[in-house]
Amino acid sequence: MLRECFGFPDFRQHQRSVVRAALQGRDVLVVLPTGAGKSICFQVPALVDPGLTIVVSPLISLMEDQVERAAPSGLPAASLSSVLGPGRRRRIEADVADGRIRLLYVSPERLGSARFAELIRRVNVSRLAVDEAHCISEWGHDFRPAYRRIASFRRAIGTPPLIALTATATPATRADIVANLALVDPIQVVDSVDRPNLHWAAVRVRSLADGVPEVGARVANGGGQALVYVQTRRSAERLAEALRCLGFAAASYHAGMSADSRDRAQRAFVDGSAHVVCATNAFGMGIDHAHVRTVCHLGVPGSLEALVQESGRAGRDGRPAYGTLISYPGDFALQRSFVRRDRPTSHQDRVRRRALTRLNAVRRYLSTRRCRRELIADYFGEPAPVCRGCDRCPQPPSSGTRSEAAKPYSSSTANSM
């Protein structure tokens, strides 16, 4: 089945044990790095077992990408999202009710819909899959309160087996996932967060404007395509324009753009006509694209989890790739303002404190004199790996030699942003 439907000669490491546990009806927590093939872990059981597999996913773009990728395998898949017109939504609901859909992607917010509850009461749900499961945890990055509805929804439909999947989770986050999803004696399949082919680096620049030529140098020297993550929508648009002035085919992507504009940017990146995408943190999540060689963060992310997960979108093919954090004055203050912008409550105050703790870990990563790979492993509760490439250690990436992008770069050029 794996070869005939998905075109793979064999399971990747850990996939077989996850699929076996799922087919035995066990709850499973899967923590595998970006590019490890987590989708196969619930797609194969969805083809084997009768009934419907519901996949809870945080982003419409991610759901649509997964549905599109499922089509060649012969796996009947669909998504129910807010962008659907009434006619299309009714057709999908009819296909679900009639058993013609085996894999249904929904947002966590949809689980609270009375209309959706009525639909699901008419079908046999064989399994729940929770993608980006770290979103359920106040210890994890991208905490999303709607994920807390999943456990009660699961009980309401008879407690089918559940697979929870994420690319990054500290021990505290894993414990939170198990508790909040009410997993029963789960099998936990946790791989190392270390990516031997990924070179880690961090630099400080004097201003956001100075970050533009720094990004340009990293992208140019890294080869292949690049993702650049920024902190604000305005920065995404201005950086893309500045990179175009430097000769790069660059596009921007953020939640303030229309759905059509975001779709065009994503497709341009996938087909190669956009060499660089400058984006807020949503872009690239779950998209299997092997040609990304460089990921830069211009401005600090909110956590080391976010840094590792987003940087991990480079080098999915196992070849040398580069993850660089570029910090400038004021970027930590901006992240703290994001944490504090909601009206305070006792619960929100706890979430904020944990968010600030995660942000402090990013500060330590930026300023450390230790091996960066060792610091990342320590944060995720893993033993220190042999460093195969970071700017604090001399070793090159394991699959090749260090490129110029791995060397410290300084520029006197300041572009306006």
Side-chain angles (χ1 to χ4, degrees):
M1 176 182 292
L2 188 70
R3 183 178 293 106
E4 293 176 0
C5 296
F6 297 97
F8 300 126
D10 201 356
F11 286 108
R12 297 180 189 177
Q13 186 182 18
H14 302 302
Q15 287 178 334
R16 186 184 301 276
S17 58
V18 175
V19 169
R20 182 184 296 115
L23 292 175
Q24 291 171 349
R26 299 289 301 275
D27 286 350
V28 192
L29 171 59
V30 182
V31 185
L32 299 178
T34 302
K38 290 185 288 295
S39 297
I40 287 292
C41 295
F42 57 81
Q43 288 174 340
V44 169
L47 271 175
V48 174
D49 284 343
L52 178 70
T53 294
I54 299 175
V55 184
V56 181
S57 183
L59 296 173
I60 292 174
S61 60
L62 176 56
M63 290 190 278
E64 292 176 343
D65 180 74
Q66 292 286 322
V67 169
E68 187 174 319
R69 293 178 63 81
S73 68
L75 178 58
S79 65
L80 284 174
S81 69
S82 58
V83 300
L84 296 176
R88 176 63 177 155
R89 185 181 66 246
R90 285 193 294 270
R91 287 193 295 273
I92 291 175
E93 289 173 343
D95 286 342
V96 170
D98 292 341
R100 291 190 290 267
I101 298 296
R102 301 290 290 277
L103 199 62
L104 180 66
Y105 291 83
V106 299
S107 70
E109 287 78 10
R110 189 163 294 272
L111 302 183
S113 160
R115 180 185 181 119
F116 184 70
E118 177 59 31
L119 170 66
I120 296 305
R121 277 195 287 268
R122 297 155 56 190
V123 301
N124 170 36
V125 177
S126 60
R127 182 172 291 101
L128 282 175
V130 180
D131 205 6
E132 308 297 340
H134 60 271
C135 294
I136 201 171
S137 173
E138 293 176 7
W139 281 112
H141 65 295
D142 300 329
F143 172 60
R144 190 153 162 183
Y147 265 68
R148 295 294 179 96
R149 298 175 182 168
I150 297 172
S152 58
F153 173 80
R154 182 191 183 199
R155 288 192 295 270
I157 61 174
T159 317
L162 189 149
I163 304 178
L165 310 102
T166 182
T168 55
T170 64
T173 300
R174 295 199 298 269
D176 222 11
I177 292 170
V178 171
N180 283 293
L181 288 176
L183 301 185
V184 179
D185 189 24
I187 291 178
Q188 298 196 31
V189 179
V190 181
D191 197 5
S192 172
V193 73
D194 185 46
R195 292 278 303 279
N197 65 311
L198 190 58
H199 183 280
W200 296 98
V203 295
R204 286 186 175 94
V205 293
R206 292 171 297 180
S207 67
L208 177 56
D210 283 339
V212 176
E214 180 74 31
V215 168
R218 301 276 169 170
V219 171
N221 292 323
Q225 290 176 281
L227 294 173
V228 185
Y229 290 101
V230 295
Q231 294 178 317
T232 67
R233 300 173 183 181
R234 185 180 184 187
S235 293
E237 294 174 356
R238 290 190 169 190
L239 179 59
E241 178 60 31
L243 290 175
R244 286 193 289 270
C245 291
L246 293 177
F248 294 99
S252 58
Y253 185 103
H254 59 74
M257 297 165 58
S258 68
D260 286 344
S261 296
R262 292 197 304 271
D263 184 64
R264 284 195 299 271
Q266 181 169 312
R267 291 186 181 278
F269 183 70
V270 172
D271 68 26
S273 56
H275 183 70
V276 187
V277 169
C278 306
T280 51
N281 62 358
F283 185 82
M285 189 181 286
I287 295 174
D288 188 1
H289 190 52
H291 303 296
V292 182
R293 303 261 62 85
T294 300
V295 171
C296 290
H297 285 80
L298 181 54
V300 295
S303 66
L304 274 184
E305 292 98 325
L307 178 71
V308 170
Q309 187 162 351
E310 289 159 8
S311 298
R313 291 163 193 164
R316 291 177 70 123
D317 56 2
R319 294 171 52 211
Y322 304 89
T324 302
L325 171 57
I326 303 169
S327 177
Y328 57 86
D331 56 354
F332 278 99
L334 184 58
Q335 279 292 350
R336 286 194 295 270
S337 74
F338 293 157
V339 171
R340 293 168 173 153
R341 63 188 170 187
D342 295 327
R343 187 171 58 188
T345 64
S346 58
H347 174 262
Q348 188 62 34
D349 186 57
R350 183 173 68 250
V351 173
R352 287 176 179 176
R353 289 196 303 271
R354 293 180 176 180
L356 291 173
T357 297
R358 293 194 299 274
L359 186 58
N360 284 333
V362 180
R363 186 183 296 278
R364 290 193 296 273
Y365 174 86
L366 180 65
S367 62
T368 187
R369 295 184 180 275
R370 296 170 59 190
C371 167
R372 297 196 197 277
R373 193 180 300 274
E374 180 182 301
L375 187 147
I376 290 170
D378 184 58
Y379 180 81
F380 284 96
E382 298 181 8
V386 175
C387 187
R388 295 180 175 88
C390 84
D391 61 353
R392 294 300 188 204
C393 300
Q395 295 90 345
S398 62
S399 298
T401 58
R402 184 184 300 185
S403 80
E404 292 298 311
K407 297 179 180 179
Y409 177 86
S410 61
S411 174
S412 60
T413 304
N415 287 320
S416 175
M417 286 190 64

